[in-house]
Amino acid sequence: MRIDFDPETVGRNPFYKLLTAVVVPRPIAWVSSIGADGTSNLAPHSFFSVACVSPPMVQFTSVGRKDTLVNVEATGEFVVCLAPEELAREINGTATDFPRGVSEFEAVGLATEPSLRVKPPRVAASPVALECVLHSTVNLGDSTVVFGRVVHAAVAEEVLVDGHPEARLMRPLSRLGKNEWATVGEFKDIARIPYDQLQS
């Protein structure tokens, strides 16, 4: 037996909690940006994915008009840093609703490093940084989807195996429902089956 949930009757917040509990795990875009006053901003966004292969593009969603969205719209640049397990405390800390003009980097004690192609800094301790320029935004109800073209990727040498980033070494965090977070668990290598082999 299933229980039915109608978003029109359940209401925004309860249905939001339901969605984030069943669309799991969700990778985290740890997005750095720069405000009009020059303050560096850093915030985690768990509505995040690859959007296009060629040109390479990623997307994240701002629920409401958060500082990240305001900054990206103003400057046209941002950096997506990988959110590693070892920085869970800092990642969660940067989700705090600090007053505008406060740098999350400084507030949670994170070192920065300069980006190569854009102005927002990288998280120095993050193993991966995707430097992006704004492609477009799409307004959907109370949220805005941000599409960024990746103009440079910087990957720490220690997480590369034969030139390829390895999840076992990057140890990415993901978000689940409520206050739940997930670490990388068991790995399974499952190759796609060609059609001709599937039919035999």
Side-chain angles (χ1 to χ4, degrees):
M1 183 175 116
R2 296 179 185 265
I3 305 299
D4 297 317
F5 296 87
D6 182 344
E8 294 296 324
T9 58
V10 169
R12 178 197 185 275
N13 288 343
F15 204 80
Y16 166 77
K17 291 179 180 179
L18 185 149
L19 280 179
T20 56
V22 299
V23 182
V24 290
R26 299 187 309 281
I28 300 168
W30 207 9
V31 182
S32 71
S33 60
I34 294 181
D37 63 354
T39 301
S40 296
N41 179 271
L42 181 65
H45 297 264
S46 71
F47 294 179
F48 166 59
S49 186
V50 175
C52 183
V53 174
S54 182
M57 294 175 62
V58 294
Q59 68 182 71
F60 72 91
T61 298
S62 174
V63 180
R65 290 200 53 81
K66 298 179 179 176
D67 288 348
T68 301
L69 175 61
V70 173
N71 293 347
V72 171
E73 287 178 336
T75 67
E77 298 181 335
F78 61 95
V79 179
V80 174
C81 299
L82 184 131
E85 180 180 337
E86 65 188 39
L87 296 179
R89 182 185 67 83
E90 290 84 355
I91 296 162
N92 188 50
T94 59
T96 300
D97 56 345
F98 292 104
R100 188 156 181 80
V102 173
S103 171
E104 287 81 0
F105 284 98
E106 296 176 8
V108 303
L110 281 168
T112 65
E113 67 179 23
S115 296
L116 185 68
R117 298 282 304 277
V118 296
K119 290 182 180 178
R122 308 169 185 162
V123 176
S126 173
V128 180
L130 303 177
E131 300 179 12
C132 302
V133 296
L134 179 62
H135 175 274
S136 58
T137 61
V138 176
N139 296 320
L140 300 171
D142 65 356
S143 303
T144 303
V145 185
V146 177
F147 295 91
R149 181 167 58 88
V150 181
V151 294
H152 184 72
V155 183
E157 188 175 8
E158 59 265 26
V159 301
L160 294 173
V161 175
D162 296 328
H164 187 273
E166 290 289 323
R168 290 177 176 87
L169 300 176
M170 294 185 293
R171 306 296 301 175
L173 279 173
S174 62
R175 286 287 282 120
L176 305 175
K178 300 183 287 188
N179 290 322
E180 301 164 335
W181 300 63
T183 56
V184 175
E186 179 185 357
F187 283 81
K188 294 182 179 181
D189 289 324
I190 304 174
R192 291 188 182 182
I193 303 172
Y195 180 76
D196 57 351
Q197 293 183 21
L198 186 66
Q199 299 302 304
S200 59

